[in-house]
Structure formats: structure tokens, C-alpha cells
Amino acid sequence: MKFTGSDISVGGLFGFVIVLTLVEMYISYVHDKKIYTKRDTWTNIYLMTVAVVINLCMKTATFFLLAYCYQFRLFEISNVWIYWIVLILAQDFLYWFLHTVGHYVRFFWAMHVTHHSSEHFNLTTGFRSTVFEPLYRVFFYLPLAFMGFTALDILFAYLVTQIYGNLVHTQAVGKLHPWFEYIFVTPSHHRVHHASNVRYLDKNMGMVLILWDRWFGTFQEELPEDTIKYGLTTQPEDTGPVNIIFHEFIALKADVKKAPTFMAKVKYILNPPGWSHDGSTKIAKVMQQELHEQERVQQKIIQSAKQES
């Protein structure tokens, strides 16, 4: 069997992630940090395995769809450096868009929610995959084929950026240099993304660059006064292998069933998680507005008290 340079590169990067994971596990165990638990880690491995199986089933279809669309490319980039820079930047932006849709459209959130269901945060959390994402991810990356990027290069770029995305699932690294924090996704940024605190919901969607979030209003800095709580706002009671994948679909089906009108049923599917026809539950943006208003009121009270004293 002959291995290509891409195979060796990806294999080496995956090996690097596995070694770092084992080191983080060891440090957590030796120093009793309780970053890992056996049940949570095995759940992460299980979800990764299911996602890999679906990925393998979809691999051929994904490749041929991208290759087919490549025939209708609008232009080509001849300079190899510009080619790869534009491909990485475009792919990273399209991932940001894909990820944002996964948080703001409940149907897609029902699939993405598995990645956020852990109450722990470590390198194996990056393996806690959105298991059904391979079924629709390719449609978000079709513009890359029309832009003149080959199917093989698109898939390779995705793998490389995905590995970087796995590396930021850690509590072992604090905040990095300000210039790096401003441009790239860091562990601090991604800790925010996995938090269930109201302030942090639906923030920091980027894989490699945090600039997309800064530019499009989905950025939130990790704040020392708002300690992160990992997981979902409402954790599933049953964390068995089937329910951990389908629990949000079950909840969505129940909400659609109780909706009084056809349009309300559609809104439950397409609106952000938390939307309800009767206002009994709220979406993240509404809760964040209420939080900011409460903080403004508290700040005014504190300022008034200081002036009186």
C-alpha cells in the first residue's frame, strides 16, 4: 500500500492529537483535576465512532458531488500559495456559517447538540462529534468546488482545520498572547463556546479564525467573573447511547406536535432553540438581552450608592 504526502501529514497530525490527549489524561489523573471521567470519555469515543462510520458511508458520495460541481468552476487559481491560502480561508468561513446554522436553526441544532452535551471539557470532547453532520456538510462546501478547488483538496483542508479545532478543546491552556487571541480561535474562546452560561450561549463559532465571530457579532470573551459551566442549559436525564443522539429530535417532535398552527410547527423546526409559540421558553438572544439589562440596572445602583457615599 502506497501512502501519499497528504496521508502521512493527516496521520501524523491525528497521532499528535492522540498523544496530547493521553498526556492531558495523565496530568488530570496525577493532579486529581477531574477533567476526565470514564463514562464521559467512553461516550465521546462512542459518538466519534458513530460519526466515523457515517463519514465513511458518505465519503464516496461527498467526493463525487464535489468533483461533479468542480466541472462548473467559475475560475482557477494558478499560484499554489494563493490557492491554499484562499482555500483555507474560504473553508474556514463556510465552516463558521455551517456551525452558526447548527446553533440558530433548531432542526440542525438537534443534530449538533450531541457535541455540546458533555458537562466536561477536554481534548476528547473534540471527538464528541455531531454524528449526522456528514449527511449535510458537503452542501455547505459546494461553493469551494465552484471556486475552482478540487474535491481532494477541499477534504484535505477540512481535515487539517478539523484537527486544529480538536486541539482547542482543553482547559490546560489559559489565554494566549493578545494578537493570537484576536485572530485565531483559542482554548479560551472555545471554552466559551461550550459553556451553558446565558452570556456565553451561541458564541465563538469559528474553527481556526475567530475573526468571523468578531466581524459578524458572535464573539464573546471568557470573563473571570462569569465562571464557565459546561454542557447544555437542560441536560438530558437519559445519557444512554441512543438517547444521547436523538433526545433533541424527540423534544422537537413533541414541540411540533403541540404547536397550534402549521406556521408554528414550521417555526419550531426553523427558529433558534428555545423559541416557543406561547413564550414559555426563550431563545438565547432574548435571555442575553435580559441579562445585560439586569447588569445595567445593577451597575446604576452601584454607581448611585457610590455617589451618595
Side-chain angles (χ1 to χ4, degrees), residues 10-306:
V10 172
L13 288 170
F14 270 117
F16 178 62
V17 173
I18 291 171
V19 169
L20 283 181
T21 302
L22 293 174
V23 170
E24 187 182 55
M25 282 183 176
Y26 175 76
I27 292 173
S28 173
Y29 175 75
V30 169
H31 296 281
D32 196 29
K33 292 188 174 184
K34 296 182 172 60
I35 296 174
Y36 286 83
T37 66
K38 286 184 180 179
R39 180 179 177 85
D40 183 75
T41 301
W42 280 114
T43 299
N44 294 341
I45 294 171
Y46 155 70
L47 291 170
M48 179 188 70
T49 303
V50 176
V52 167
V53 170
I54 296 176
N55 258 305
L56 290 175
C57 292
M58 293 298 298
K59 187 176 182 180
T60 302
T62 297
F63 179 86
F64 280 109
L65 182 56
L66 290 170
Y68 176 78
C69 292
Y70 177 74
Q71 299 177 82
F72 306 100
R73 57 195 178 276
L74 302 176
F75 54 84
E76 292 184 7
I77 301 174
S78 57
N79 184 290
V80 66
W81 289 101
I82 296 176
Y83 177 94
W84 280 103
I85 290 171
V86 173
L87 173 55
I88 293 293
L89 290 175
Q91 188 273 326
D92 196 53
F93 169 72
L94 290 173
Y95 173 81
W96 175 88
F97 180 63
L98 161 67
H99 198 178
T100 301
V101 169
H103 278 255
Y104 284 87
V105 178
R106 191 174 175 193
F107 175 74
F108 289 101
W109 172 247
M111 291 179 273
H112 184 59
V113 70
T114 54
H115 183 61
H116 286 265
S117 57
S118 174
E119 294 181 278
H120 301 272
F121 189 75
N122 52 61
L123 285 170
T124 67
T125 309
F127 304 145
R128 197 181 186 97
S129 302
T130 303
V131 297
F132 294 123
E133 187 176 289
L135 300 176
Y136 61 86
R137 181 174 57 219
V138 63
F139 297 104
F140 287 83
Y141 290 144
L142 288 183
L144 296 174
F146 292 119
M147 290 170 64
F149 299 108
T150 68
L152 196 61
D153 289 345
I154 293 169
L155 295 175
F156 178 72
Y158 174 77
L159 279 173
V160 172
T161 55
Q162 183 71 46
I163 289 170
Y164 179 88
N166 274 17
L167 291 175
V168 297
H169 290 82
T170 181
Q171 298 182 59
V173 178
K175 288 193 176 185
L176 301 174
H177 194 280
W179 76 263
F180 198 90
E181 291 277 335
Y182 190 84
I183 298 173
F184 296 101
V185 174
T186 66
S188 176
H189 297 327
H190 211 62
R191 286 192 289 269
V192 165
H193 181 69
H194 276 262
S196 61
N197 313 46
V198 170
R199 186 190 314 278
Y200 297 145
L201 295 175
D202 300 338
K203 300 296 183 181
N204 301 354
M205 307 289 184
M207 176 81 82
V208 175
L209 297 178
I210 199 65
L211 292 174
W212 314 121
D213 294 287
R214 293 185 185 277
W215 291 342
F216 297 108
T218 52
F219 175 72
Q220 173 60 54
E221 184 179 4
E222 182 180 13
L223 301 176
E225 64 268 24
D226 200 350
T227 304
I228 287 176
K229 181 180 183 300
Y230 297 107
L232 304 173
T233 53
T234 303
Q235 289 292 131
E237 294 182 8
D238 178 3
T239 57
V242 176
N243 195 61
I244 199 66
I245 294 177
F246 292 103
H247 68 91
E248 182 62 18
F249 278 112
I250 295 170
L252 175 57
K253 180 181 177 182
D255 285 338
V256 169
K257 186 176 181 180
K258 73 180 181 183
T261 65
F262 175 75
M263 282 308 300
K265 294 180 187 295
V266 173
K267 287 179 178 179
Y268 270 114
I269 296 171
L270 300 181
N271 277 6
W275 182 87
S276 59
H277 70 279
D278 56 3
S280 57
T281 55
K282 301 172 184 176
I283 65 174
K285 281 188 175 180
V286 171
M287 292 190 291
Q288 286 165 351
Q289 289 170 357
E290 293 175 348
L291 173 64
H292 294 153
E293 182 59 33
Q294 290 172 6
E295 290 178 338
R296 280 193 291 269
V297 171
Q298 290 173 356
Q299 190 62 32
K300 286 181 180 179
I301 293 173
I302 292 172
Q303 289 175 351
S304 296
K306 286 182 178 179

